[in-house]
Amino acid sequence: MFKTRVGKKEFFNSVIAIIIAIIFLFPIYWLAQISFKSDAETFGKVLTYFPHEFTFDPWLVNLTDATFLLSLRNSFINAACTMLITLVLGVPAAYGMGRYKVPGSNVFLLTFLVSQMLPASLTLTPMYLIFNKIGLLGSHIAAPVAIAATSIPFAIVTLRPYFKSVPVALDEAARLDGCNSLRAFISVMIPAVKTGIITIIVISFLNGWNDLVFSMTFNVGAEMRPLTANIYKFQNAYGTKWNCIMAYGTILVIPVILLFIFLQKYIIGGLTAGAVKD
Amino acid sequence: MKKILALMLTGAMCLSLVACGGNSAGSTDNSNTDSGSAAQESADTPAAPAADSSNTEAAADSSASGSATEVELWHYFDASNDKEAIIEWVDEYNTLQNDIHITATYVSREELMNQYTIGALSGELPDIGMVDSPDMASYISLGVFEDITAELNAWGELDKFYPGPLSSCMDSDGNLYGLPQNSNCLALACNMDLLKAAGYDHMPTNVDEFQEMAAATTDTANGVYGFAMCCISTEEGTFQIIPWLRSNYNGAGVNVDNLTADSAVHGLGVLGDLISSGSMSKESVNWTQSDAFNQFVAGKAAMCEVGTWHLAMTGDINGAFEYDFCLLPTGSTGTSTSTIGGENFGICTGADNKAACVDFLKWLCSKEKEGEWAVTAGKIPTRSDSVANYDYEQDGFAVFVDEMNYAQARGPHPEWPTIGEAIYTAAQAVFVDGTDPADALSKAMETIAPIVAETPLP
Amino acid sequence: MKGKQLSIDKRKRREAYGFILPAFLYMLLVLGYPLIYNVFLSFKNVNVKNLTKGGSVFVGLQNYIELFQNDTFLLVIKNTFVFTIACLIFQFTIGFAFAIFFYQKFRLSGPIRGMVLVSYMMPMAVTGLLGKNIFSNLGLINNLLSKIGITGPEWLVNTSTALIAVIIMNCWVGIPFNMLLLISGLTSISGEVYESASIDGANWGQRFVFITLPMMKGSMLAVLMLGFIYTFRAFDLMYIMTAGGPLNSTDVLGTYSYMLSFTQFQFSKGSAVAMVLFVCLFIVGLFYLHLLSKEDD
């Protein structure tokens, strides 16, 4: 009796989950399937839901582009640097603000929030002028420094509640064991909020990966540009040749999906562990 | 598994935190140097095999030529022909002389414009820069380009350039800041199969006939429209809309500083009627010029407003149908009219070895080189003495070369972008909202009139 | 259950600053100057003619006054609010529903929850292109609608529907984002609380209202706040999908300010628009802080 009720619930939940997945993933399938269509089919009178004439041509056009591998590397550098800066600066700050009540904490929080409020059109020119002065322009780190300025506040705002919800006893026990505050933070607090930290890792990495405006403005040379910056090139050159554009779009999305599939095990592991055991 | 990840993370955090512990200045500097050194490493290792050829070659050459000044050239050629040609040409020029060594860098058009704007403030500009002709006046006003009037006058070949393209390199006092390297204009492409099926054996000769043909060739059931053009909310849209505003009506045409004239209202009304009668897709307000041309190539538009450079892409049609080109239609009296497009090259403010850069410009825009470039890139020379021997689409080019006689430059005017916005907005109001053309254009004139009152159009 | 903040003494305060200050200084360095720069620029009359040649003067509030007399700007303000509020409502409610749904333990919950996130991870540039494709007249959306007998509108061509299409695309990205953050919030609620509640005989609805909502308050506020900021300053999506058109119907403060500064060279006007955007967000930020401090007390 009990068993079947659980089974029924599992079944209904699964059906709903699959429907949600179809709705959310269909556009991505759409993106990918167009990239295997011939020009004629792309512009055909009838909208087809899968390529009737399968071709790799749109892919070859993009993959053989001279700067493809370099751009791929640059995208990874952008993403990794952004993630690093965000973790190193954002996580301690979130802890500091979640755990301690210090004078001026509202000023800090406001500053971090304010930095999320500046639109790119406002920051581009003055940032360029500063980076030019301090010699960051044309280096791989210029764009990450700017992008991190938006992911650090994000990390602080989202992690702060996590740190607040960790029992103080945990922290104090570590200190009694002779840890200083830094050690206590690293060895006790960070593992305690690992779910949140994984979220920050994923999101700051993606912020770096997906950035368009900053990397485009701070780095002009082809050897410095990430994949996203090339989309303009292809958009101008192809117009609505959707198959070629979508092939490039798919190329941009694939590494993200791969990375995610690899990380997902940990993300979901982290999430359920928190839910079941604690 | 979870534990391992947590450990790894903690380790990474430990390292970075401990590292910054010794540095009282805070971890800002630390994280910078960290990733900075990583970046340096990757810069030191030779670029991946697919590295941009211009850069690697440049590096090899510079060691050989020794004393030459290193000079940076930015361009936005992105079609396969001209993208390769500019690199070859720069390499050729590098071997011809020893004063400068040029490196050509591709920067997409959007970015290039931003870089000039920001560069005007920071002084970080290339030495030689390419710019779309209607934008040049703005960048001259922003101080992006050097005044090279004296150098070019001494050259003695300025009178060979067509006045329209050359004027786009001038400020309002007639000083020169660059040279037009190529030009193009708009004409009408026709799908002759579709015209024949509708009972026409010729292309439209005037606006009335054009309207008739557009209606007759429209085949909604098969998704075929009589006419396709680009009316997108960017300068591309303005470029394609202007000929219709300037076209003749009752024997009179106008300039864009007098858009409330009958002929302009009539011209925009023609396009508005095409939309409301279904002979032209409303989607043209979102189409770029490539999009509109793609519709033509796919056989979904019987007629299409196309640019000179599209001739180089007619191969895409691949024999699917017969096509031909003609002048853009105009009223039953008067001549056709078109818009001039094209790219200019200028010397940027603060360029190293300005004199040698000007020499490169003269070489690039010499009689022979202009002719060669026109063939390579599918453009029209800006010099009357250049001969372009197009090895493809000879007849098509003849139409465009003829159309150049009636084509007008946009501006030059430092506030052209604002004028251009007023124009495409007026057209979109008619197409999308069904606004009366006269009302839409008088609204545009509210923006344009004060601008041209202060600095008149030439 | 919730941890208390440590009491203040000098040593603790030093520790706290040690954790916070690096990030704080970083933000001041990277973003302080841009903000000051723009405040000044928005009170001057810098344009294409005087940017480098000099001669620009302080004009006080003139740029702002002119903006608020400009119909296009008022439309842009309206678009920005409509876009933000509509996106926020759908993203948050659907995102929350998804979070609760996927928080349940069943075999597919993990993998599918992960898969749904992919739409959030795509570069906005690609999302914009995809939107342009599926909302075109003969695109996927209208094709699907026609299958159930509805003739779809010309989404991106009509001023009345273009913004709806952009909102739908943004929700496609925003729902997983909200779900991700809210699910993390749910996870941090200790399971014991629920267990003791179920023992006390609380049903699902009671547990939601009396346990989940109050305990989620912090995460919910954070999600709403961040959602508001990100949506309000949107740029990439419109820039790629519609370029703000047709007829400014999808122009928002972010795209409008960018166009004024970088396409039309009306630098001071562009700055003024960016400042309006900033001030709106600043007010929302103050409100958020106010709520937070109430929660802390």
Side-chain angles (χ1 to χ4, degrees):
Chain A
M1 209 40 196
F2 187 64
K3 246 183 185 167
T4 45
R5 225 186 73 203
V6 170
K8 223 181 217 170
K9 197 177 174 212
E10 168 100 17
F11 176 75
F12 279 121
N13 278 342
S14 302
V15 170
I16 297 172
I18 288 169
I19 292 172
I20 291 176
I22 290 173
I23 293 173
F24 271 80
L25 293 181
F26 197 74
I28 292 167
Y29 162 74
W30 196 252
L31 177 88
Q33 63 91 13
I34 295 177
S35 72
F36 294 109
K37 283 181 177 175
S38 65
D39 288 7
E41 198 176 336
T42 315
F43 283 97
K45 286 167 191 134
V46 187
L47 191 72
T48 49
Y49 279 62
F50 58 91
H52 292 254
E53 237 183 283
F54 201 83
T55 170
F56 277 109
D57 289 352
W59 281 74
L60 291 176
V61 173
N62 290 306
L63 291 176
T64 53
D65 186 72
T67 54
F68 176 73
L69 283 178
L70 273 178
S71 301
L72 185 69
R73 183 201 68 176
N74 294 336
S75 283
F76 270 108
I77 294 178
N78 259 1
C81 291
T82 306
M83 184 182 82
L84 207 73
I85 300 176
T86 308
L87 283 183
V88 169
L89 294 176
V91 177
Y95 171 69
M97 297 186 61
R99 189 50 104 194
Y100 298 91
K101 192 157 189 154
V102 289
S105 61
N106 267 357
V107 176
F108 290 136
L109 198 55
L110 190 64
T111 310
F112 291 128
L113 282 176
V114 160
S115 48
Q116 295 269 287
M117 299 170 184
L118 306 176
S121 63
L122 186 152
T123 52
L124 268 186
T125 308
M127 268 197 195
Y128 185 99
L129 294 177
I130 308 178
F131 286 1
N132 189 27
K133 280 244 165 64
I134 59 178
L136 271 186
L137 275 194
S139 80
H140 278 291
I141 147 128
V145 165
I147 308 162
T150 60
S151 27
I152 290 172
F154 176 84
I156 293 170
V157 172
T158 48
L159 276 185
R160 210 182 68 106
Y162 282 83
F163 281 117
K164 279 179 78 170
S165 67
V166 176
V168 172
L170 214 63
D171 213 351
E172 278 166 353
R175 282 165 202 246
L176 286 178
D177 287 348
C179 293
N180 63 18
S181 58
L182 192 64
R183 285 266 313 275
F185 168 63
I186 291 165
S187 56
V188 178
M189 294 309 280
I190 289 184
V193 297
K194 61 179 176 297
T195 321
I197 291 195
I198 292 170
T199 312
I200 299 304
I201 289 179
V202 172
I203 285 175
S204 59
F205 187 90
L206 289 171
N207 278 349
W209 180 269
N210 293 345
D211 169 69
L212 173 70
V213 180
F214 287 124
S215 9
M216 216 163 82
T217 310
F218 299 145
N219 292 318
V220 165
E223 71 285 357
M224 302 290 291
R225 301 156 56 81
L227 290 171
T228 39
N230 288 335
I231 207 118
Y232 272 119
K233 190 160 102 181
F234 292 111
Q235 205 187 357
N236 290 337
Y238 297 146
T240 40
K241 269 198 173 181
W242 288 113
N243 47 358
C244 293
I245 293 190
M246 293 312 190
Y248 198 76
T250 315
I251 290 171
L252 262 170
V253 175
I254 283 178
V256 178
I257 294 181
L258 285 180
L259 193 83
F260 185 75
I261 289 173
F262 174 74
L263 262 181
Q264 198 199 19
K265 204 159 79 185
Y266 300 99
I267 295 176
I268 289 157
L271 288 172
T272 41
V276 183
K277 284 172 200 144
D278 291 354
Chain B
M1 274 308 176
K2 289 163 270 169
K3 289 238 172 78
I4 294 176
L5 180 75
L7 271 174
M8 272 166 51
L9 259 170
T10 323
M13 298 283 299
C14 260
L15 280 176
S16 29
L17 280 168
V18 169
C20 70
N23 183 350
S24 57
S27 36
T28 313
D29 306 270
N30 183 60
S31 65
N32 286 359
T33 35
D34 262 5
S35 349
S37 60
Q40 211 134 45
E41 269 167 35
S42 47
D44 288 346
T45 38
D52 188 77
S53 61
S54 68
N55 291 306
T56 33
E57 277 170 36
D61 281 3
S62 64
S63 53
S65 51
S67 63
T69 317
E70 281 299 326
V71 167
E72 185 88 7
L73 177 148
W74 287 359
H75 68 91
Y76 60 82
F77 290 123
D78 55 12
S80 56
N81 293 343
D82 37 18
K83 182 171 72 184
E84 282 157 27
I86 189 73
I87 293 170
E88 283 168 25
W89 284 35
V90 162
D91 287 343
E92 182 189 346
Y93 190 72
N94 285 338
T95 60
L96 287 176
Q97 44 76 50
N98 281 320
D99 297 330
I100 49 174
H101 182 274
I102 307 173
T103 309
T105 302
Y106 168 84
V107 183
S108 86
R109 199 196 123 129
E110 291 274 344
E111 290 167 67
L112 191 61
M113 295 176 67
N114 292 358
Q115 291 289 339
Y116 285 146
T117 309
I118 298 176
L121 280 171
S122 67
E124 283 292 307
L125 288 165
D127 302 285
I128 304 168
M130 166 171 156
V131 62
D132 195 8
S133 54
D135 299 328
M136 181 105 179
S138 301
Y139 292 118
I140 291 172
S141 182
L142 283 173
V144 171
F145 294 105
E146 293 261 7
D147 182 346
I148 49 173
T149 318
E151 288 89 339
L152 292 179
N153 277 332
W155 185 31
E157 291 187 25
L158 284 178
D159 56 339
K160 298 291 191 289
F161 285 83
Y162 290 114
L166 191 63
S167 74
S168 67
C169 298
M170 292 176 189
D171 64 9
S172 47
D173 300 328
N175 297 318
L176 271 172
Y177 292 80
L179 283 175
Q181 190 246 356
N182 67 70
S183 61
N184 58 67
C185 62
L186 295 163
L188 193 71
C190 298
N191 181 323
M192 299 311 285
D193 290 2
L194 288 174
L195 284 183
K196 249 172 229 148
Y200 298 95
D201 58 354
H202 64 282
M203 295 182 281
T205 51
N206 61 53
V207 168
D208 293 340
E209 198 181 17
F210 164 76
Q211 273 183 291
E212 225 176 79
M213 288 178 165
T217 47
T218 299
D219 177 2
T220 320
N222 284 313
V224 176
Y225 288 94
F227 180 58
M229 67 180 285
C230 147
C231 305
I232 198 170
S233 45
T234 66
E235 183 61 32
E236 281 193 57
T238 307
F239 181 60
Q240 291 224 334
I241 293 159
I242 287 179
W244 303 92
L245 300 177
R246 291 185 60 237
S247 67
N248 286 285
Y249 175 60
N250 287 340
V254 290
N255 203 350
V256 293
D257 51 8
N258 183 20
L259 291 180
T260 41
D262 287 348
S263 55
V265 173
H266 176 259
L268 188 54
V270 167
L271 297 180
D273 289 347
L274 288 182
I275 297 254
S276 57
S277 66
S279 304
M280 176 164 132
S281 170
K282 248 191 184 182
E283 285 195 279
S284 57
V285 298
N286 285 328
W287 282 343
T288 62
Q289 297 186 84
S290 322
D291 296 341
F293 184 69
N294 283 340
Q295 296 292 315
F296 180 73
V297 171
K300 288 181 147 186
M303 295 180 281
C304 181
E305 188 173 351
V306 297
T308 317
W309 65 94
H310 286 131
L311 289 172
M313 303 175 196
T314 45
D316 293 355
I317 296 170
N318 212 2
F321 55 84
E322 291 287 314
Y323 58 90
D324 206 348
F325 300 89
C326 67
L327 301 181
L328 287 173
T330 191
S332 45
T333 50
T335 61
S336 169
T337 171
S338 183
T339 323
I340 297 182
E343 276 87 30
N344 302 339
F345 277 83
I347 311 299
C348 295
T349 308
D352 294 329
N353 209 343
K354 179 177 154 191
C357 290
V358 175
D359 285 341
F360 169 73
L361 231 62
K362 292 179 193 163
W363 176 80
L364 184 69
C365 300
S366 63
K367 183 182 158 193
E368 294 75 24
K369 284 288 162 191
E370 283 245 350
E372 274 182 48
W373 187 269
V375 175
T376 310
K379 301 285 172 70
I380 295 171
T382 57
R383 293 172 64 120
S384 55
D385 57 349
S386 289
V387 186
N389 288 315
Y390 302 107
D391 42 15
Y392 52 99
E393 281 299 330
Q394 295 281 1
D395 299 344
F397 269 101
V399 172
F400 283 93
V401 172
D402 184 19
E403 184 81 280
M404 273 308 268
N405 294 317
Y406 319 114
Q408 198 196 38
R410 285 159 286 170
H413 195 290
E415 288 173 77
W416 179 263
T418 308
I419 299 175
E421 193 220 353
I423 292 172
Y424 69 66
T425 305
Q428 290 201 343
V430 174
F431 299 168
V432 173
D433 276 358
T435 309
D436 181 62
D439 295 344
L441 287 170
S442 62
K443 183 133 188 286
M445 278 313 288
E446 285 173 21
T447 308
I448 297 172
I451 293 174
V452 293
E454 200 185 331
T455 315
L457 285 167
Chain C
M1 271 296 137
K2 201 167 79 179
K4 265 193 308 198
Q5 297 194 319
L6 299 177
S7 59
I8 315 159
D9 63 41
K10 260 197 185 146
R11 193 179 58 85
K12 293 260 168 65
R13 196 182 294 176
R14 247 202 329 267
E15 276 173 26
Y17 285 138
F19 283 113
I20 301 169
L21 278 181
F24 181 70
L25 292 176
Y26 181 88
M27 302 313 291
L28 276 192
L29 283 176
V30 179
L31 292 168
Y33 176 69
L35 186 57
I36 295 164
Y37 176 95
N38 269 279
V39 171
F40 277 100
L41 192 56
S42 74
F43 290 120
K44 291 171 88 174
N45 69 337
V46 180
N47 57 32
V48 66
K49 288 177 181 163
N50 59 22
L51 178 74
T52 48
K53 290 177 183 157
S56 61
V57 289
F58 276 91
V59 295
L61 288 171
Q62 198 195 327
N63 289 316
Y64 293 93
I65 293 167
E66 278 177 26
L67 278 178
F68 280 97
Q69 289 167 345
N70 179 338
D71 292 343
T72 310
F73 176 74
L74 296 177
L75 174 68
V76 166
I77 290 258
K78 192 188 116 197
N79 290 341
T80 314
F81 275 99
V82 170
F83 174 75
T84 309
I85 291 169
C87 285
L88 226 53
I89 290 173
F90 290 114
Q91 283 169 15
F92 186 76
T93 49
I94 301 176
F96 207 153
F98 279 18
I100 291 169
F101 175 73
F102 282 113
Y103 182 66
Q104 300 176 88
K105 274 168 280 169
F106 59 97
R107 212 167 299 139
L108 284 177
S109 105
I112 290 186
R113 168 167 78 198
M115 279 188 234
V116 168
L117 280 175
V118 172
S119 67
Y120 164 65
M121 304 213 230
M122 281 174 52
M124 263 299 181
V126 179
T127 311
L129 284 171
L130 188 59
K132 199 174 166 185
N133 176 277
I134 65 174
F135 281 101
S136 63
N137 287 1
L138 300 173
L140 175 64
I141 300 291
N142 281 351
N143 193 278
L144 288 173
L145 287 176
S146 73
K147 293 210 159 122
I148 51 169
I150 299 172
T151 311
E154 299 172 298
W155 291 98
L156 298 178
V157 173
N158 293 318
T159 45
S160 52
T161 51
L163 194 59
I164 298 176
V166 175
I167 289 171
I168 294 174
M169 279 321 277
N170 197 65
C171 286
W172 184 62
V173 178
I175 290 170
F177 169 74
N178 280 264
M179 180 191 80
L180 176 71
L181 293 185
L182 290 168
I183 228 168
S184 309
L186 283 173
T187 319
S188 65
I189 300 177
S190 164
E192 287 162 29
V193 183
Y194 277 118
E195 271 164 36
S196 54
S198 333
I199 292 165
D200 292 348
N203 67 20
W204 186 89
Q206 286 168 326
R207 269 182 285 156
F208 180 74
V209 175
F210 295 111
I211 302 175
T212 314
L213 283 184
M215 295 207 74
M216 288 283 288
K217 207 168 140 201
S219 330
M220 280 163 56
L221 269 180
V223 171
L224 280 173
M225 175 68 206
L226 287 172
F228 190 91
I229 292 178
Y230 289 140
T231 322
F232 201 79
R233 44 171 279 190
F235 171 78
D236 297 25
L237 182 63
M238 288 83 169
Y239 193 62
I240 302 261
M241 193 165 155
T242 58
L247 283 178
N248 304 96
S249 60
T250 57
D251 234 346
V252 289
L253 288 169
T255 49
Y256 189 60
S257 147
Y258 185 87
M259 186 195 71
L260 284 177
S261 295
F262 287 100
T263 314
Q264 300 211 11
F265 312 115
Q266 300 183 30
F267 303 104
S268 285
K269 277 251 173 75
S271 268
V273 173
M275 289 308 298
V276 170
L277 197 168
F278 171 72
V279 169
C280 291
L281 288 178
F282 192 74
I283 293 168
V284 175
L286 285 178
F287 184 65
Y288 172 67
L289 278 187
H290 175 72
L291 289 179
L292 272 192
S293 58
K294 260 189 12 201
E295 187 203 8
D296 285 350
D297 287 342

